[in-house]
Amino acid sequence: MLKMNHLSKVYRTEVVETYALRDFNIDVKEGEFVAVTGPSGSGKTTFLTIAGLLETFSGGEYHLDGIEVSQLNDNARSKIRNEKIGFIFQAFNLIPDLNVYDNIEVPLRYRGMKGAERKQRIMDSLERVGLSSRAKHYPAELSGGQQQRVAIARALAGSPRLLLADEPTGNLDTQMARGVLELIEDIHRDGATIVMVTHDPELAARAQRNVHIIDGQVVDLSEEPRFHAHAGEAAQGQTL
Amino acid sequence: MFAYYLQLGLRSLRRNPALTALMVIAIGFGVAASMTTYAVFRAVSGDPIPWKSDQLFVPQIDSWGPAQGRQAGDLPDALSYTDAMALMRAHVGHRQTAIYPVGLSLIPPGQTAKPIAAHGYATYTDFFSMFDVPFQYGSSWPVSDDTGRGNAVVITRKLNQRLFGGADSVGKVINLDGSDYRVSGVIRDWNPKPRFFDVANGSGFGGEADFYMPFTRAIDLQIGTGGNNNCTKVAAAGWDGWLHSSCVWIAYWVELPTAAAVTRYRNYLKGYAADQRKSGRFDWTPAVRLSDVPQWLNLQHVVPPETRVSMLISLGFLVVCLVNTIGLLLAKFMRRAPEIGVRRALGASRREIYKQFLLEAAAVGLVGGVLGLLLTGVGMLGVGLVFEADVARLAHMNLSLVMLTVLVAVVATLLAALYPTWRAASVQPAWQLKSN
Amino acid sequence: MQIKPILTALRHHKAGTVLIAVQIALTLAIVCNALFIIHQRVTQLSQPSGLDEAHLIRIQNQWVGKADDKAYGSLMATDLATLRKLPGVADAYATNSVPLSGGGWSMSLRLKADQSAPSAQTAIYFSDDHTLSTLGLKLVAGRNFRADDIRPMSAKEDLLHPAVIIVTRALADKLFPTSRAVGQTVYLANHLSTIIGVVERMQTPWVGMSWGSAASTLVPFRLLTGGTNYVIRTQPGQPDRVRRSAPDALFAQNRMRVIPDQHGVETFRQIRADAYASDRGMAILMGVICVVLLAITAAGIVGLTSFWVGQRRKQIGVRRALGATRGDILSYFLTENLLIGMGGVLLGIALAIGLNLWMVTRFEMQHLSLWYVLAGAVALLLLGQGAVLAPALRASRVSPVEATRSV
């Protein structure tokens, strides 16, 4: 589903070149639930934005669902984002000017879907996250957990094959976080591939497999004894 | 998607009513100022006889010579009687006429009516066919009246209405300055703007004439010109002295339907000028010039400088309003960078972002255009304060001006929106979405 | 104030900075030129005509039918006698033209007969011994015409060669800058005339002539033609009454005449208003444009600065948390605006002068006075400071707590 070979990403300023990712390799199979962990600044988020085609990369290859994406133009990349990928962000990223219904409608609009089908899908996904009664509310009128569930509903509405989550519970308290995580696992059971970036070992433990990034490279945790138990468990997961 | 983006645009505009109002007002005022001054400019700079303006020509001859301290190329803007008659006799053009304005008093039939002032032109009969003057009754006078100094007269619909109640008056007699004239034709409303054949007198935008009479008859009756008479030397005494002086006062027009005819006429003029020197009338070879209608109007500065200056200043004003709009749109669009990031992540291509934001700008332009339309209407009421009454009367709202006003507003706003929209479409979604 | 950090910060807002600067520059260029046009037009239309305008009425008279020139002479004499007897009339005379009326005669003057270039151009007014008292002209040297100076002149039969003339001071100074004009002789066309008097001022019939608006000559002739102008001076408070009674008296005296419906009977106030209609109009138009332009530019500055303040709330909060006072924040934004304004004004000065130079060649405008540009520049800088004050005050009230808030 998602395969990166020797991928690199360089940020250039007038003064310095910084490698955000270097000789980066990862292979996520269809239907997998992978957690990407690593310390702050390790390149986790850069990996996720590249994986989500939000950013281009400097070198290497990236195959998404069998397509080499480096040569695609903006239109094609937008189409893939729209049809195959769902995003969940730490900051929810709902559009404050739009109510819940209109927020979920955004990706469906870009898909050119007819009104009746849009409505059906929006109501279905709202039901799935348990917010059917909040369709006319604005984001500011919802709690953090509710906002994140709206964001998940927005990601779900397009039936994405790949769900990319960036610290989805980072801004939530424990109870809300649990609810959100259960939703994500639910989506996984329905067959979607899930890649979740987190620095929370407990969260990472819920994934089938953990990938650890340090300084822009995937590291094999079996050769990194410095890491604690949870990381070790994750490393075991990788061998499955 | 159009309806969707329109809805989004209107929602966004409602969110910052002050900013939106500021943009709309700026565009409205900018467009209104430009359109009001443009309407006046359009009114005075139009081609009065578009289907024929490249076939009608004015010859000029430098009958004053180089001693007068004028600049090269600055020829007298009328002909002397001597030259006008020589050109008429030569008859080199397809049609030709000498013209001068006359002011006479007209005594209406009946004992009690007060005399009225009547303004007209002394012309040759070719005048009417050259300028495609439309007749309501009758026709122009026959050529025999030109040669035989006949007492024919062509009157306008306006005068016919006043004297004969609008009935067919061909053959009836009117009295001008004590002489009787027989009506040979009545013309329909015809008052080209500008009155290209007589721009040397007045603004060129005055009211319609009352009558046209044979040039030869007017000379016979010693009717002086009602327009400008420019002399470099004082004429010899008496009517004949004036006729044969260097005073210029006659407008002269010739119709040359083909390029070959134009070339032939130009050569004839040069030959005529050379002959005048040879014959000893001038001690210089007079420069000559042949101008068609647009060239002549340009040469005579028919468009008043006020019109151009005020249009220029108004356009500058519009540009400032647009720069203002660029800044405000930029602020408005970039404030929504996070939203743009989300939309990009959810599958909006750059093209979709362009569509969304340009449509929003177009909505601003449209509302600005409507405001501009109202203000242009107010401006039209005010043009009488700024421009000469003759000119101001011509400026008016019509469908084309309405459409142009709205079009200019929308196009100008879209132009102003290009840069802000480009910035909006260049928003890097990854930067906006990384967890703060 | 720390200018360097402001400049560094501005580099991150290149587009906004450039837009404000360009707007200021264009506004300066347009406002300077517009104010200059206003100044010129107002100067033009506030020139005194030299006449006692409040009490003057002009009547345009056209005789009907063909009379010989001698007959015109007696008709005019009768008319003038009728008018002078009319209640409310102080004096009257007949002439070809009056100042500001837009139509009249002009001729060139020479000091020597064989001179190739003329010494001056002048308007010619046909006058008699009543002209000075009717128009209220002030004689500053020499004498008025006497009744026996006045001769009839037929346009078709006689030539203009006056033995004596009266000139305006403007014309006298031009012809004889160093000596007394009275008693001197000049060639009017080909004939020698003696200057017997100088009047303080009398404008020509034309507005905005290149050869001056006050170079006029009075010639002692009664012009015998079918059309003439009667000029009447009324007694104080009587213009409205005479305006109605004078044409009636003329028609009662002789019906065979035309006094046009439009402009036939006019007070001098109307003549002046018509003559300067386009000048007054241009001044109004330019004034309106200046006011709206300045308002829009100020509003634009308010709008963009408000946006910047909104964008930088967090940054401002951090500064406040690190010890910046409200005054520091306020002066930061004021200084920032001043820097942008100065950039815009420098560009604007160049634009204003460029625009003026172009209009000088294209529309025969005059050169812009530098004082206008400088005054405009200062005004725009002040406008910018005024416009930025409200958003800057809002910025200064940002609480240091903002530093700790995310987004």
Side-chain angles (χ1 to χ4, degrees), chain A residues 81-144:
Chain A
R81 279 203 299 275
N82 184 251
E83 293 179 353
K84 296 191 174 167
I85 305 174
F87 289 95
I88 304 173
F89 305 99
Q90 178 177 6
F92 325 136
N93 282 324
L94 298 176
I95 298 174
D97 293 354
L98 302 181
N99 65 23
V100 166
Y101 186 98
D102 291 341
N103 258 291
I104 300 175
E105 192 184 30
V106 169
L108 307 181
R109 283 277 189 178
Y110 290 122
R111 203 178 283 191
M113 211 174 262
K114 289 266 184 302
E117 191 185 351
R118 283 202 307 266
K119 186 169 183 189
Q120 187 61 48
R121 282 183 178 240
I122 294 166
M123 295 324 287
D124 287 352
S125 53
L126 269 177
E127 197 172 337
R128 184 144 182 206
V129 301
L131 286 174
S132 298
S133 58
R134 303 293 166 100
K136 294 292 170 207
H137 287 231
Y138 281 85
E141 300 161 358
L142 302 175
S143 72

Side-chain angles (χ1 to χ4, degrees), chain A residues 69 92 96 209 230 240:
Chain A
V69 298
F92 325 136
R209 170 159 80 98
H230 289 295
L240 291 173

Side-chain angles (χ1 to χ4, degrees), chain B residues 312-343:
Chain B
L312 193 79
I313 297 273
S314 304
L315 281 178
F317 177 51
L318 178 61
V319 170
V320 177
C321 292
L322 288 182
V323 173
N324 187 61
T325 308
I326 296 176
L328 296 179
L329 282 176
L330 186 66
K332 202 164 167 45
F333 289 178
M334 293 321 286
R335 185 177 286 183
R336 281 148 71 198
E339 176 195 329
I340 298 165
V342 174
R343 286 185 179 278

Side-chain angles (χ1 to χ4, degrees), chain C residues 126-178:
Chain C
F126 288 76
S127 311
D128 63 15
D129 46 329
H130 290 267
T131 300
L132 265 56
S133 72
T134 305
L135 294 178
L137 299 180
K138 195 168 156 207
L139 194 68
V140 290
R143 66 166 176 90
N144 189 5
F145 294 129
R146 286 187 299 257
D148 59 1
D149 289 326
I150 313 302
R151 288 191 290 127
M153 179 190 139
S154 158
K156 287 180 193 159
E157 283 157 15
D158 299 321
L159 293 180
L160 178 82
H161 45 95
V164 292
I165 56 174
I166 295 175
V167 298
T168 56
R169 184 147 67 188
L171 183 58
D173 288 349
K174 180 157 191 204
L175 291 170
F176 307 103
T178 54

